[in-house]
Amino acid sequence: MTFFGSKTHHLKSSNFILSLLDNHQCLTIPHLNQIQSHLITSGTLSDTYAVGKLVSAFANHPTHLSHAYKLLIFSPNRSNYMWNSLIKFYIDKHEPIKAISLYKNMISSGSFPNNYTFSFVIKATNDLCDLPFGIMLHAQSIKLGWENYDFVQNGLIHLYAMCNAVNSSRKLFDVSAIKDVVTWTAVINGYVKVGRIGDARKMFDEMPDRNVVSWSAMITGYAQMGFFEEALEVFNDMQVNGFRPNHSSLVGALTACAALGAFDQGRWIHAYVDRNKMELDVKLGTALVDMYAKCGCIEMANRVFEDMPSKDVFAFTSLISALSNHGQSERAIELFNRMQREGVDPNGVTFICVLAACSRMGLVDKGLQIFKSMKHRYGIEPGVEHYGCLIDLLARSGMLQEAAQLVRKMSVKPDSYVLGALLNACREYGDVELGEEIVKHLMEQGLDYSGVHTLLSNIYASAKKWDGVMHVREQMQEKMVRKVPGCSLIEVDGVVSEFGAGHRYHKRMEDVMLSLLQMDKHLQSFLLDHNFSLGSCT
């Protein structure tokens, strides 16, 4: 293909043609081919400005990026504008690898990047979270004198923050001459990402100006780190300060409402979404489904789910989990089947939820079928949580030996959940020997927490082996094992309060139980020593 011809005297028409390229989005490929032919015959294509315009025009059509690349490569005078146009288009088309590859070609061809080049390539590197390449770009920008330009410096701050190098991000931020709200928010997001929520809040409080994105970053950060009450406090402060919540802040606040059971506030957010006619996208819709489900409103969760214009695996999984957890296992399994019919592939969490539903209904054959389909149909390797659900299903159905055999054949090391499910079945069916074997495995793994000792004690008690009960209680006392006190949450007028059982009460109850067991042991010894039997006391 020949792109370049000799110069002619059609400058007037060429200028008109170039003006057409300023509005290249309205031009079709046949039009662009005609323009290229005219520029070749007029000789204008030897001009870097003209080639740059044409490269940009062809690059705007995704199917002709390769043609734009050929124009660039065959041009005798390549300008930064030409390189930058094509690099930017690859980034806009979410192809960061191609953008970086083009940047490397630019360097190897002897062209020097400018501040725009660096800002584009840093964005591509951030999309890939390629920290080593980002450090190399930082060094090159210093060498070529572009580091202090706003777009370059902000890009590097954001790159370091998103690649878990928040200390480097903060150092650049501190020496930056121009700090806008985007720069502040980038560092706050970096702190949140590595779990330094205190540093994020300190920086948030020091911000001279805030926008809805910075407020959302703080709300989302608190919610992700489990500081749900703080997330709702910031959400309320955001509105007091005159900022209207966006999708991100609403999702963060709904996550906090779901965790706290703050139904009134969650319902208010739903009303806000409806009142402002906000798009019920996948993230916001799934957050509403999860909030209603965890607050016990399954039908409202289902209604929101059906109102969502599009549903992904997370939306389906959220409702399947809700139905399963609220005793509607049959509906959960039907929704799982519908999910497959609609072409949405389940993920690992989906299988945990649907296997739990099978376990609650005792559907052994269905559970085994679903478990096998994980690997054979969807290529998902079962994890310890999936084995735990299947073992719980078998154990609940009285198939203790089959469950124990599965534990021994597991491809992953069994954890406390797996062994705990089997241990609980041992209590229910009175299998003392298997229960003792499981507890031994748990103790070897250092997983003999209070619940394990309590279950073993209950197994002994079900079998009327009081010596075993006494031995377990003595072990708990020796190891200073205490039952974790329960707690409850209650929402009153939008305020969530937590109530926990007193530690003294639990200690006193354990002491009473231990005293009774000791009395029972001494009574048995006394009766045996004096040749009494319990039957002779009638």
Side-chain angles (χ1 to χ4, degrees):
M1 183 186 293
T2 302
F3 289 112
F4 306 101
S6 59
K7 199 169 185 180
T8 67
H9 298 287
H10 304 296
L11 292 178
K12 210 176 219 184
S13 60
S14 296
N15 289 335
F16 172 72
I17 293 295
L18 287 176
S19 68
L20 291 177
L21 291 172
D22 288 330
N23 195 23
H24 57 70
Q25 291 182 343
C26 300
L27 297 174
T28 64
I29 293 300
H31 291 151
L32 291 176
N33 287 332
Q34 290 176 4
I35 291 172
Q36 180 181 325
S37 299
H38 177 82
L39 295 177
I40 291 172
T41 57
S42 66
T44 312
L45 205 58
S46 61
D47 180 73
T48 56
Y49 177 76
V51 179
K53 287 281 188 182
L54 196 58
V55 167
S56 180
F58 272 111
N60 192 58
H61 295 270
T63 57
H64 282 70
L65 275 172
S66 59
H67 188 85
Y69 180 74
K70 288 177 183 178
L71 275 170
L72 172 67
I73 295 302
F74 285 101
S75 173
N77 302 307
R78 303 178 197 125
S79 66
N80 279 339
Y81 173 74
M82 295 162 62
W83 289 105
N84 293 342
S85 294
L86 201 52
I87 290 171
K88 183 179 182 298
F89 275 108
Y90 276 128
I91 293 168
D92 291 342
K93 301 302 179 185
H94 306 290
E95 297 187 72
I97 294 176
K98 289 184 178 179
I100 291 173
S101 177
L102 190 61
Y103 171 77
K104 292 177 179 178
N105 288 346
M106 177 183 183
I107 299 297
S108 62
S109 69
S111 298
F112 289 99
N114 59 16
N115 54 333
Y116 294 105
T117 317
F118 279 114
S119 64
F120 297 148
V121 181
I122 288 169
K123 171 67 170 62
T125 309
N126 189 25
D127 291 343
L128 297 172
C129 205
D130 188 346
L131 184 59
F133 190 74
I135 294 171
M136 186 195 74
L137 287 175
H138 190 180
Q140 288 179 346
S141 69
I142 294 172
K143 184 177 179 181
L144 296 173
W146 300 114
E147 182 202 14
N148 293 323
Y149 278 77
D150 295 348
F151 291 126
V152 177
Q153 198 164 63
N154 283 342
L156 288 169
I157 289 170
H158 193 73
L159 171 69
Y160 283 124
M162 292 299 100
C163 294
N164 299 334
V166 70
N167 288 336
S168 298
S169 178
R170 183 59 191 265
K171 287 178 182 177
L172 270 178
F173 174 85
D174 289 338
V175 300
S176 177
I178 300 176
K179 304 181 180 76
D180 59 14
V181 67
V182 177
T183 315
W184 283 84
T185 305
V187 183
I188 289 172
N189 277 321
Y191 279 130
V192 167
K193 192 173 182 184
V194 297
R196 291 167 60 176
I197 195 70
D199 291 325
R201 182 55 191 264
K202 183 180 178 183
M203 195 165 186
F204 178 78
D205 291 338
E206 293 172 354
M207 287 182 73
D209 297 301
R210 297 170 186 159
N211 62 9
V212 66
V213 178
S214 51
W215 283 98
S216 299
M218 206 65 241
I219 294 166
T220 304
Y222 271 132
Q224 288 176 349
M225 294 298 297
F227 295 94
F228 303 115
E229 293 180 14
E230 290 83 353
L232 291 182
E233 286 176 7
V234 175
F235 179 70
N236 293 331
D237 289 344
M238 173 186 182
Q239 296 169 79
V240 170
N241 282 273
F243 290 91
R244 296 172 63 85
N246 60 4
H247 277 67
S248 178
S249 57
L250 291 173
V251 169
L254 284 168
T255 302
C257 291
L260 295 172
F263 175 67
D264 287 342
Q265 188 143 11
R267 189 169 54 177
W268 180 90
I269 293 173
H270 190 186
Y272 178 89
V273 171
D274 288 342
R275 187 168 59 251
N276 291 276
K277 295 181 171 52
M278 298 180 71
E279 181 190 358
L280 198 64
D281 61 16
V282 172
K283 286 187 177 180
L284 184 55
T286 303
L288 278 169
V289 169
D290 189 53
M291 182 277 295
Y292 277 121
K294 288 179 179 174
C295 290
C297 300
I298 299 302
E299 294 311 316
M300 277 301 301
N302 186 71
R303 191 181 305 172
V304 172
F305 176 82
E306 296 297 345
D307 288 342
M308 293 172 62
S310 62
K311 307 169 183 69
D312 64 359
V313 61
F314 301 105
F316 273 101
T317 301
S318 182
L319 188 55
I320 290 170
S321 174
L323 294 169
S324 176
N325 291 334
H326 285 81
Q328 301 188 33
S329 299
E330 192 171 347
R331 289 179 68 186
I333 295 169
E334 173 54 36
L335 186 61
F336 176 73
N337 295 333
R338 172 185 164 184
M339 174 185 186
Q340 294 174 300
R341 288 195 303 270
E342 294 185 7
V344 180
D345 288 343
N347 59 19
V349 179
T350 316
F351 279 105
I352 293 173
C353 297
V354 75
L355 285 170
C358 292
S359 178
R360 291 184 175 94
M361 289 186 69
L363 301 175
V364 176
D365 292 339
K366 182 68 174 176
L368 288 169
Q369 176 192 343
I370 291 172
F371 185 83
K372 290 177 182 176
S373 72
M374 281 183 64
K375 186 173 182 179
H376 296 152
R377 181 175 176 181
Y378 296 104
I380 300 173
E381 195 67 37
V384 67
E385 299 89 352
H386 305 102
Y387 279 108
C389 292
L390 187 60
I391 287 162
D392 185 54
L393 169 60
L394 295 172
R396 281 172 182 256
S397 303
M399 303 169 66
L400 266 66
Q401 294 306 316
E402 290 83 350
Q405 191 67 17
L406 180 61
V407 171
R408 297 185 185 101
K409 291 182 177 180
M410 281 173 58
S411 59
V412 292
K413 186 178 180 181
D415 65 356
S416 59
Y417 177 79
V418 171
L419 297 174
L422 192 53
L423 186 60
N424 189 56
C426 292
R427 177 195 60 78
E428 187 175 345
Y429 291 97
D431 195 330
V432 177
E433 185 179 344
L434 182 58
E436 289 175 332
E437 180 186 341
I438 294 167
V439 172
K440 182 181 177 183
H441 283 301
L442 286 166
M443 292 177 69
E444 288 173 355
Q445 296 180 38
L447 300 173
D448 52 332
Y449 50 87
S450 61
V452 171
H453 290 282
T454 304
L455 275 173
L456 183 59
S457 175
N458 292 338
I459 291 171
Y460 282 130
S462 299
K464 301 188 185 307
K465 293 191 174 184
W466 307 114
D467 286 343
V469 175
M470 186 63 202
H471 178 66
V472 171
R473 294 291 176 175
E474 287 173 349
Q475 279 189 324
M476 289 178 71
Q477 198 169 38
E478 288 174 9
K479 296 181 178 181
M480 303 294 290
V481 176
R482 290 284 181 265
K483 268 188 86 173
V484 178
C487 67
S488 301
L489 295 172
I490 185 169
E491 180 188 10
V492 180
D493 295 331
V495 178
V496 179
S497 302
E498 181 178 338
F499 299 91
H503 294 285
R504 289 184 179 179
Y505 172 78
H506 281 279
K507 185 178 187 300
R508 186 162 62 250
M509 287 301 296
E510 288 181 2
D511 290 341
V512 170
M513 289 297 297
L514 186 58
S515 299
L516 288 173
L517 287 168
Q518 288 173 340
M519 288 173 62
D520 185 70
K521 186 177 181 180
H522 293 152
L523 178 60
Q524 290 181 39
S525 299
F526 174 80
L527 293 173
L528 290 172
D529 290 343
H530 292 80
N531 295 319
F532 281 103
S533 67
L534 293 177
S536 65
C537 296
T538 57

